[in-house]
Amino acid sequence: MILFISDLHLAPQAPGVAQLFLDFLGGRARAAEHLFILGDLFEAWPGDDCLDDARDSFAAEIVAALRLLVTAGIGVSVMHGNRDFLLGEVFAARSGARLLPDPYVLSLPAWQFVLSHGDALCTDDHEYQSFRSLVRRAEWQAAFLARPLAERRAVAVALRQKSESAKRDKAEYLMDVNPGTTDDFLRAHGYASLIHGHTHRPATHDHLVDGIHVERWVLADWTETQGECLCWNGSNLTRERLR
C-alpha cells in the first residue's frame, strides 16, 4: 500500500490538523509501505534552523513523529510546496524523509505515476509564477536564510497574509491548473497518471492527450476536522477520508 497526501498546512494555529496528522502517522500510515507528501506539509517553513528554536517546538514535534514512522520501516518522501519550499537537508536528516524533485516519476510494477505539487501548472497566474521563479532561485534562498530567524518568520506571516488577500480578488481559473499546460505536462511525462495537490479542489479528471486517456488525481487539503489520503493497493487508486 502506498499513500499520497498534500496540503496539510501544519501550523500551531491549527491544532486540529496537527493532531489529525499525528494520529495518521501513528495509525493508518503504519500499514503502508511508503508515504508520499506532495507539498505544503507546513503552512510556512522559514528554514531548517527553526527545528532548534527553543521558543517554538511545533516543527520539531512534527519532524520527530515523521522520524518514528521511518524508524518503523515506512518510507517517507516529501516534495516542496509553495508554502514550505525552504525544506532542506537538515529537515530530511532529522525526519528521515527523502526530499523529492518536482515533478517526480514513480514507476511501479503495475503502473506509472508522475507526482507534482501542482503549482507549476497554474500558469494563468502570471504574478504567482514570477514569485515562484524568484524564490526557487538558489541565490534568493541563500540571502533569505542568512537573515535572522525571527525576521524570516515575520516575512513568512506577511507573505501568507498577502497571499490570502490576493486570492480573494483573483478569478477562480487563475488558481487552477491551465488545461493546455497540463496536457503538455502529461505528454512530456509519457502519459503517466498525474497525482498533485495545491489547488484544494479534490477530484479525478480524465484527459485525452494525443488520443490517449490519462487520469489526473487532485489531492484534498486537510482541515481541523478531516483529512484525506489517496491509496494505491497495487492495482487501483482510492480515496480514504480521515477523521
Side-chain angles (χ1 to χ4, degrees):
M1 180 75 69
I2 297 175
L3 303 180
F4 305 89
I5 61 175
S6 73
D7 298 282
L8 284 74
H9 296 272
L10 297 175
Q13 297 78 18
V17 183
Q19 190 58 56
L20 189 62
F21 182 57
L22 293 173
D23 292 344
F24 170 75
L25 294 181
R28 180 66 182 92
R30 296 297 178 104
E33 173 187 346
H34 205 108
L35 170 64
F36 287 89
I37 304 173
L38 302 186
D40 285 357
L41 173 61
F42 294 95
E43 173 69 356
W45 191 262
D48 287 358
D49 53 341
C50 72
L51 292 171
D52 298 316
D53 185 357
R55 297 167 296 179
D56 185 355
S57 62
F58 179 81
E61 290 170 0
I62 297 297
V63 165
L66 286 169
R67 168 58 74 174
L68 286 176
L69 183 65
V70 172
T71 302
I74 313 304
V76 176
S77 295
V78 178
M79 184 174 285
H80 295 105
N82 55 296
R83 302 289 185 135
D84 52 13
F85 55 85
L86 288 173
L87 289 169
E89 294 304 324
V90 174
F91 163 81
R94 298 267 188 100
S95 65
R98 174 181 55 158
L99 289 175
L100 293 180
D102 184 357
Y104 176 78
V105 175
L106 176 62
S107 295
L108 301 172
W111 207 250
Q112 183 162 287
F113 298 99
V114 57
L115 312 179
S116 178
H117 179 55
D119 58 329
L121 300 176
C122 300
T123 51
D124 288 318
D125 191 344
H126 302 299
E127 181 181 0
Y128 170 71
Q129 292 301 329
S130 295
F131 171 78
R132 185 183 190 276
S133 177
L134 173 66
V135 300
R136 296 304 179 102
R137 295 175 187 168
E139 59 271 22
W140 185 94
Q141 294 188 3
F144 183 75
L145 292 172
R147 298 159 76 172
L149 178 59
E151 184 179 333
R152 282 180 270 138
R153 287 191 189 279
V155 170
V157 170
L159 286 174
R160 288 200 306 274
Q161 292 173 342
K162 180 180 179 182
S163 174
E164 291 303 313
S165 176
K167 281 196 291 187
R168 289 193 290 269
D169 297 326
K170 284 182 179 179
E172 285 293 312
Y173 78 92
L174 292 176
M175 295 180 285
D176 206 350
V177 301
N178 175 278
T181 299
T182 303
D183 284 354
D184 287 343
F185 179 91
L186 296 172
R187 182 180 294 111
H189 290 89
Y191 313 100
S193 297
L194 170 60
I195 301 175
H196 73 85
H198 179 64
T199 63
H200 298 191
R201 299 176 184 184
T204 305
H205 299 272
D206 294 303
H207 291 254
L208 192 63
V209 186
D210 303 330
I212 299 172
H213 171 237
V214 187
E215 288 187 335
R216 175 169 64 93
W217 293 73
V218 185
L219 299 170
D221 56 313
W222 289 34
T223 71
E224 289 281 84
T225 56
Q226 73 177 31
E228 183 184 280
C229 62
L230 192 61
C231 311
W232 171 254
N233 64 6
S235 58
N236 294 295
L237 281 173
T238 56
R239 296 181 187 271
E240 184 175 321
R241 289 284 180 87
L242 305 166
R243 298 184 186 275

